[in-house]
Amino acid sequence: MTRRSIKELVRTSVRDLKPYSSARDEFQGDSNGMVFLDANENPFGSGLNRYPDPRQIKLKQVLASIKHVAVENVLCGNGSDEILDLIVRAFCEPKRDKLVILPPTYGMYKVIAGINDIAVVSVNLNPEFQPEVEEILKKSDANTKMLFLCSPNNPSSNAFQRSRIEQLIMNFDGIVVIDEAYADFSSERSFVNDIHRFPNLIVTQTLSKAFGLAGIRLGLCFASAFIIETLHKIKPPYNVNALTQQQAITALLDREKLNSEINLILQQRERLANALKNIKIVEHVFPSDSNFLLVKVDDARSRYEQLIELGIVVRDRSNLFGCENCLRFTIGTTDENKALIKALNELK
Ligand SMILES: Cc1ncc(COP(=O)(O)O)c(C=O)c1O
């Protein structure tokens, strides 16, 4: 099989684009002692009167060292949602190209495709919520530019088998995006360090989940230097603000906090899963590699509404393929999980 080069996969308009050059891009010398009159900023210092580093070099250096990749392999975005959109825009030609998603999966892939006028090819996961490799490859043609793998998958909560993912990366003639938003909760190894093996692989992660920083909006992207540079060309110049960059560096360096919170969430996940199995309305608890559980109940819609009346908001996922009568429970604190169990036990 002859496969297209990554360069061939990039949209022509993006390949030929001369990116915007910001004031901070143009002067990259030593800033010590310099008078900055180049960016039309307010000169009265508040600590935040200057534009942030558009390349987020300090943040990327920390990320590169933690993830064992080079700075050139990292892109930061305003949440991974921004990064996913950049990826689609960099590679998929509106009204012509298609991307493949594997339902049930994260809803934003379809929304991003819709916004960008990219057709969606859906290949359902199998009953164990694993990708059907042969079927995915069969449904791909010259216009399928991209495959989205969400692993661990939202909403099914499981990680995909590594061997299936590898077969897809090796045989799919296009870009394979692995969305690892929940990877910190999984016992499966991340694909971040496989970007050197596979030129068509892009891995995204986020500080919104395990790091507990959904409010600062920081998404991460790991890929070859060529892909990262291509995405960098089309990103808004100052997409990651100064406060986010500072806060993220602090959080990334505090491994103790991260690990202790992940451990607590994993302990709670196990306890909650066990407790749920003894509740009358619960029919099945799916195995989880994430910080949430997908749970089949007798009647998802009415249980969802009853829980709201008891002050607990969960997610009704029952309209998604393979998730009939399923609710999704995020793992909360010990007290929150106890409150959920108590409420579920009270339901008539
Ligand atoms: C699979 C998946 N990817 C990405 C995101 C969005 O992450 P971010 O907060 O970094 O935009 C979510 C959020 O729920 C998600 O479930």
Side-chain angles (χ1 to χ4, degrees):
M1 183 182 72
T2 49
R3 296 175 74 187
R4 294 169 285 188
S5 71
I6 305 305
K7 229 181 200 159
E8 281 174 281
L9 293 170
V10 178
R11 275 171 71 187
T12 323
S13 56
V14 172
R15 203 161 50 212
D16 299 341
L17 182 78
K18 191 173 178 312
Y20 175 72
S21 180
S22 70
R24 289 293 169 272
D25 282 319
E26 282 183 17
F27 176 78
Q28 296 207 2
D30 183 357
S31 58
N32 268 341
M34 301 299 280
V35 174
F36 282 99
L37 303 175
D38 58 345
N40 298 346
E41 296 151 333
N42 181 326
F44 304 111
S46 64
L48 291 171
N49 57 321
R50 299 290 177 194
Y51 281 104
D53 175 5
R55 288 197 164 258
Q56 307 107 18
I57 288 300
K58 286 191 185 132
L59 171 56
K60 284 188 191 167
Q61 282 167 342
V62 173
L63 282 163
S65 117
I66 290 173
K67 302 283 179 181
H68 307 292
V69 293
V71 166
E72 294 70 37
N73 299 122
V74 187
L75 182 96
C76 298
N78 190 338
S80 38
D81 283 343
E82 181 190 53
I83 290 175
L84 298 169
D85 181 63
L86 289 174
I87 295 170
V88 170
R89 282 197 283 143
F91 291 97
C92 297
E93 197 66 51
K95 296 190 194 307
R96 188 195 73 188
D97 287 340
K98 299 180 278 189
L99 56 82
V100 185
I101 63 166
L102 314 182
T105 195
Y106 182 47
M108 277 302 285
Y109 310 142
K110 204 170 180 176
V111 173
I112 292 169
I115 292 168
N116 290 293
D117 224 335
I118 309 300
V120 171
V121 178
S122 294
V123 184
N124 293 337
L125 294 174
N126 73 16
E128 283 76 49
F129 292 128
Q130 291 292 331
E132 289 287 15
V133 175
E134 287 305 318
E135 209 183 323
I136 294 166
L137 296 176
K138 238 190 284 166
K139 290 238 177 119
S140 308
D141 60 27
N143 292 334
T144 38
K145 279 278 187 71
M146 188 165 290
L147 166 62
F148 277 100
L149 302 177
C150 185
S151 183
N153 185 42
N154 180 7
S156 62
S157 79
N158 62 309
F160 296 159
Q161 288 157 358
R162 189 161 245 277
S163 57
R164 287 181 193 249
I165 297 182
E166 288 203 0
Q167 280 180 53
L168 285 167
I169 304 171
M170 286 189 291
N171 294 296
F172 182 79
D173 183 17
I175 298 292
V176 176
V177 182
I178 309 181
D179 180 344
E180 291 191 347
Y182 300 99
D184 294 305
F185 304 105
S186 174
S187 45
E188 288 289 334
R189 189 157 46 90
S190 158
F191 272 82
V192 165
N193 296 110
D194 295 280
I195 55 169
H196 305 297
R197 288 170 65 204
F198 303 120
N200 61 333
L201 173 62
I202 301 179
V203 179
T204 62
Q205 295 186 349
T206 178
L207 266 67
S208 297
K209 309 296 176 184
F211 282 90
L213 289 172
I216 72 169
R217 310 304 301 129
L218 186 70
L220 313 174
C221 177
F222 304 92
S224 71
F226 173 75
I227 291 180
I228 295 298
E229 204 43 53
T230 303
L231 297 174
H232 189 86
K233 265 167 87 171
I234 65 167
K235 82 170 183 64
Y238 304 114
N239 62 329
V240 180
N241 71 68
L243 295 173
T244 293
Q245 293 187 43
Q246 288 163 18
Q247 186 77 41
I249 291 172
T250 309
L252 285 162
L253 294 174
D254 192 349
R255 305 304 289 177
E256 215 170 292
K257 178 176 183 292
L258 174 71
N259 291 333
S260 94
E261 289 184 6
I262 291 174
N263 284 337
L264 285 173
I265 289 169
L266 294 185
Q267 276 169 23
Q268 282 299 308
R269 184 176 80 192
E270 198 183 335
R271 273 192 209 154
L272 184 61
N274 287 334
L276 286 168
K277 286 171 192 161
N278 297 320
I279 291 177
K280 204 169 60 224
I281 64 154
V282 170
E283 296 185 358
H284 185 63
V285 181
F286 291 87
S288 174
D289 294 288
S290 312
N291 67 335
F292 59 89
L293 292 169
L294 186 72
V295 180
K296 190 172 166 89
V297 296
D298 54 353
D299 180 353
R301 196 64 215 166
S302 67
R303 299 313 182 184
Y304 168 80
E305 278 160 12
Q306 286 177 312
L307 282 173
I308 291 195
E309 273 166 31
L310 294 170
I312 296 182
V313 188
V314 299
R315 198 87 199 265
D316 179 6
R317 301 280 67 190
S318 52
N319 58 349
L320 301 180
F321 170 81
C323 300
E324 293 77 20
N325 275 325
C326 284
L327 297 176
R328 196 189 67 192
F329 301 147
T330 306
I331 310 298
T333 61
T334 312
D335 286 348
E336 288 170 336
N337 301 332
K338 276 188 187 152
L340 173 65
I341 295 294
K342 183 168 176 288
L344 287 169
N345 271 319
E346 281 170 21
L347 300 186
K348 293 275 176 303

